[in-house]
Amino acid sequence: MRPINGDDVTEAVAGCAATLRAAVDRDWRAVRAGRVEWDCHTTAVHVADDLIAYAANLAGRAQDAYVPFELTLDEGTDNAGLLHVIETTGALLAAAVRTAPPGTRGFHPYPFRSADAEGFAAMGIAEVLLHTHDMAEGLGIAYEPPAELVTSLLACLFPHVQPGPAPWPTLLWATGRGELPGRAPVTEWRWNNNLVIPAERVTLTGLRPAAAKDLRLGGDGGFEWIASGPYEGTRDAAGMLLKAYEAGVHRPEFGVFALVRQEDGRAIGGIGFHGVPDEDGRVEIGYDLVEGARGQGYATEALCALADWALARDDVGSLFATVERGNTASQAVVTRAGFTRVSDEGAEFAYELRR
């Protein structure tokens, strides 16, 4: 798996057009698109509408709602013309993704009210792949997208879904379009964009599995780091995230975040959870900073922001952190963030912050 980009949008749309062009002379209004309630013509228009809407929300930096317009076809547009519209709107989304400055986000309702360029690219690809499948199924045409593309899409938008033995059947199962041995049928589903939590001077940017994999293997995770970054603790945390994803127990909102400095867009550290809350609503938290960013209050600011976000949830009642006895700087961080020392036995102090 790897991060999703504009080229992937282009590849997905090209596969859609090539597949459906084989049935361009059919009456798409008379054929139901697989298991969905729409006919093939309506489904194709929906794909084009989503592609242009995603491009608009990203390029227009929409904040609270979709950019207020709709796609309307000229009267008499035939199937060939409709495919041209899909190709054109796909090209617009690909261009918006390629040209979006780092950190750009636009409105999308689920689940955290925004998405970045990779998220919009992935959502567009998901619409194309899944609805091309629906239309191809209705029209009796064989269709299967590239496995590498589907693998990356699953990791980007479905990080809560355990990878299956093959990516395409896994995506179809995860979206209620097929069966997977050993797994219950899916009747309701949603994808997940990464969570971003703003603070005063830094932004906590949720890591996707592909970014976590890159960090664990020694890469930069798609971020521009200040000198000597990222710190080893961030790489270890990324490895924990990757293992959770592969085991099917990863919950993106309780994952790992890169700390991105707002003044220059550079990453300065990491923060996150050691897992999901236990049955008592208790969850452990950890953090680190690159040396060049220490002593400036960034860790305290990030910890306060993450704590506020977590303790506002119904499933979190308390946060827990451990700090080495000799790490007085980190002890000061958790204290300033409101944590109370609850244990001083062994090589580490334990701290807790309750709702």
Side-chain angles (χ1 to χ4, degrees), residues 1 29 45 70 92 101 112 122 129 138 143 146 166 171 174 177 186 199-200 212 229-230 245 286 304 308 313:
M1 64 181 159
R29 296 181 187 273
V45 173
E70 290 186 8
L92 291 172
F112 303 120
L129 300 191
Y143 172 71
L171 180 61
R177 288 171 166 83
V186 173
E200 184 178 351
Y245 169 63
C304 287
D308 287 346
R313 296 174 57 93

Side-chain angles (χ1 to χ4, degrees), residues 52-121:
I52 192 62
Y54 293 157
N57 272 25
L58 178 61
R61 316 294 197 266
Q63 295 300 306
D64 301 313
Y66 281 99
V67 177
F69 74 97
E70 290 186 8
L71 176 72
T72 302
L73 300 182
D74 288 344
E75 186 175 349
T77 300
D78 59 10
N79 292 339
L82 181 49
L83 286 180
H84 191 195
V85 173
I86 291 176
E87 291 172 313
T88 302
T89 53
L92 291 172
L93 175 58
V97 169
R98 293 186 185 108
T99 58
T104 299
R105 299 187 75 85
F107 172 79
H108 188 273
Y110 189 84
F112 303 120
R113 308 287 295 176
S114 74
D116 60 5
E118 182 178 358
F120 277 114

Side-chain angles (χ1 to χ4, degrees), residues 14-318:
C16 166
T19 298
L20 297 179
R21 197 163 279 123
V24 75
D25 58 342
R26 300 272 299 276
D27 182 0
W28 289 5
R29 296 181 187 273
V31 179
R32 179 174 170 176
R35 303 185 186 189
V36 301
E37 296 298 323
W38 300 325
D39 60 53
C40 288
H41 180 274
T42 302
T43 304
V45 173
H46 169 78
V47 170
D49 197 33
D50 277 344
L51 291 172
I52 192 62
Y54 293 157
N57 272 25
L58 178 61
R61 316 294 197 266
Q63 295 300 306
D64 301 313
Y66 281 99
V67 177
F69 74 97
E70 290 186 8
L71 176 72
T72 302
L73 300 182
D74 288 344
E75 186 175 349
T77 300
D78 59 10
N79 292 339
L82 181 49
L83 286 180
H84 191 195
V85 173
I86 291 176
E87 291 172 313
T88 302
T89 53
L92 291 172
L93 175 58
V97 169
R98 293 186 185 108
T99 58
T104 299
R105 299 187 75 85
F107 172 79
H108 188 273
Y110 189 84
F112 303 120
R113 308 287 295 176
S114 74
D116 60 5
E118 182 178 358
F120 277 114
M123 290 188 293
I125 291 168
E127 297 286 353
V128 170
L129 300 191
L130 294 170
H131 288 312
T132 300
H133 162 79
D134 297 334
M135 290 182 280
E137 186 175 60
L139 293 164
I141 304 171
Y143 172 71
E144 182 170 341
E148 181 183 9
L149 178 60
V150 180
T151 297
S152 298
L153 180 65
L154 281 165
C156 183
L157 287 187
F158 298 86
H160 54 293
V161 172
Q162 183 178 20
W168 184 230
T170 302
L171 180 61
L172 294 179
W173 166 81
T175 57
R177 288 171 166 83
E179 298 179 353
L180 210 58
R183 302 195 193 185
V186 173
T187 56
E188 294 184 6
W189 60 276
R190 291 279 192 176
W191 56 47
N192 277 272
N193 280 296
N194 66 329
L195 172 63
V196 168
I197 302 173
E200 184 178 351
R201 295 175 297 161
V202 295
T203 299
L204 285 63
T205 303
L207 295 183
R208 296 181 171 96
K213 179 181 179 181
D214 185 61
L215 281 167
R216 191 68 193 98
L217 294 176
D220 58 16
F223 299 92
E224 182 182 353
W225 293 79
I226 65 173
S228 75
Y231 195 66
E232 191 59 35
T234 297
R235 297 196 187 280
D236 291 341
M240 293 170 57
L241 186 160
L242 189 60
K243 288 182 179 179
Y245 169 63
E246 292 171 345
V249 296
H250 176 52
R251 285 176 60 187
E253 63 270 40
F254 289 105
V256 182
F257 302 80
L259 302 181
V260 180
R261 198 162 53 191
Q262 294 173 5
E263 67 180 29
D264 57 6
R266 303 180 74 184
I268 60 172
I271 192 169
F273 302 96
H274 290 193
V276 300
D278 63 18
E279 57 187 14
D280 296 319
R282 187 169 180 260
V283 62
E284 187 172 357
I285 198 169
Y287 53 88
D288 63 32
L289 289 180
V290 179
E291 281 191 35
R294 296 174 186 172
Q296 302 172 56
Y298 289 124
T300 301
E301 181 182 320
L303 182 56
C304 287
L306 190 58
D308 287 346
W309 177 87
L311 292 174
R313 296 174 57 93
D314 293 337
D315 54 353
V316 177
S318 64

